[in-house]
Amino acid sequence: MLLMVLLVQTLNFALVLLMPLPTPRVQSVARVAAALRTGADPGGTLKISVRPDEPRQSPVGRDLRLAHRMAIALALPRGSIRVESQGPSPFGVAGSFERARERQRDMPPFLRDGADDDLIFGAFTVSAKLGDGRWRRVEPVSNGFEPWRWRALLWLIVAIVVAAPFAWFLARRLVRPIRLFASAAERLGRDPRATPLPLAGPPELAEAAVAFNEMQARLNHYVEGRTTMIGAIAHDLRTPLMRLTMRLEHAPPELRIAAEGDIEEMDQRIAAAMAFVRDTTQPARRQTLDLRSLAESVTDDLADRGAPVTLEPGEALIVQGDAPGLKALLANLISNAVNYGGGAQVRCRVDGASAIIEVTDAGPGMEADDLASAFEPFFRAERSRGRETGGIGLGLASVRAVARAHGGEATLENGREGGLIARVTLPL
């Protein structure tokens, strides 16, 4: 930042040293008097006009003295001359000349170095009363945007062009850590096991990155602890189930058959819970794979079993992902469509930088409230899926966990012509 400021100030200093001084706009009293007398200016630097209204007389001492000298030069009464000047700019060359003249005018006569009042600096209007009562007015011709102003503007443009790359580099350097911070926060929302934020940038952002990484580590420990606890509980439940099975061997046949069915269902639920814990806690092994080939293997396997499954043809979709996890994701979605919707139509396509998997069924769809809760663990919506009994309720939860672990997302929506559309978005 300091180097940037130093560069700009160096350019400004170079402007002061290299830019030629502007030429002051100077007119002599004799020339203005001649223009008032003849109504013309051979040099073309004075503008002459005749107006009926009486101009005002400036009360400034400089203008009063100029009016007096002009009246003497034209041999007219003093009241026949009106002078009003804007005065030279205090920052210009003409202002320096005028200030020097004012200082010399206040000196004793024997100290003056020939200074006189025969020069007029800056903008002014001098009016003389004509015989018919009108006033002839003389003022300098406006030069518009003077050459020295064009040179200053050109130098300013050059300074902007020179400083712009450094300013762009500085802005990029300052913004880059903030952009990385935002990207890391977005990745954390999708995958708690994402790569920690690099500790780079200004000290304040580095401290924020340390706090962010610590927060991510605490979140991971919390989630892993809860998930491990669920897995441990599910594992430990198998021991009493085994004891119950052994004790039922001596029970009456009616009681034993009913109890064995309940135990088998509970064992299936425990197995599903442990599989869900395993899938969500084990780190994924990423490799380059073709998502369409993976979907084709799942659909072919289900079609061989007689399931009504179709896969639309298309080009390959190359992604970086965990093959077992993505295959389980596809199997869950397609199996749900077959079991609850009467069939599955699978479509894989590219949308920008994302790979889209859409699984459409021909079922009755789902209610709006169920769509919002369908990905929660152990959620079941059998009534809207046309089946008397549902699964464990962990299939869609596992689908969303795998999709988010790959930096993607999973959603559900009802089709316009009925059925349900399960959509998974993954980065290419």
Side-chain angles (χ1 to χ4, degrees), residues 161-319:
V161 171
V162 172
F166 296 94
W168 178 83
F169 173 77
L170 177 63
R172 291 272 299 180
R173 185 177 179 84
L174 291 176
V175 172
R176 183 174 179 273
I178 301 176
R179 186 181 295 112
L180 292 176
F181 199 90
S183 299
E186 195 272 339
R187 288 198 307 270
L188 177 61
R190 293 180 177 271
D191 181 13
R193 297 186 297 272
T195 305
L197 188 66
L199 305 179
E204 294 80 5
L205 288 177
E207 294 177 4
V210 171
F212 183 88
N213 292 336
E214 292 178 353
M215 178 191 69
Q216 180 178 356
R218 287 193 293 268
L219 286 175
N220 286 330
H221 292 328
Y222 174 76
V223 173
E224 290 174 0
R226 294 287 296 271
T227 308
T228 303
M229 180 184 65
I230 295 175
I233 293 174
H235 181 271
D236 292 342
L237 284 176
R238 286 187 165 179
T239 301
L241 286 178
M242 184 179 298
R243 291 200 298 265
L244 285 174
T245 303
M246 296 175 63
R247 291 174 182 175
L248 286 173
E249 292 180 356
H250 304 287
E254 298 82 2
L255 177 61
R256 186 177 66 251
I257 294 174
E260 287 178 351
D262 293 338
I263 292 174
E264 182 179 0
E265 181 181 354
M266 185 174 292
D267 188 66
Q268 291 176 356
R269 291 178 180 271
I270 292 174
M274 294 182 65
F276 175 74
V277 170
R278 182 177 60 253
D279 293 339
T280 55
T281 55
Q282 288 182 350
R285 293 172 296 178
R286 301 297 177 90
Q287 60 182 352
T288 302
L289 53 89
D290 181 7
L291 200 59
R292 182 177 298 278
S293 297
L294 207 61
E296 186 176 357
S297 67
V298 175
T299 55
D300 288 347
D301 182 56
L302 290 173
D304 292 340
R305 303 178 193 176
V309 179
T310 59
L311 173 63
E312 293 186 4
E315 298 180 355
L317 276 73
I318 306 302
V319 298

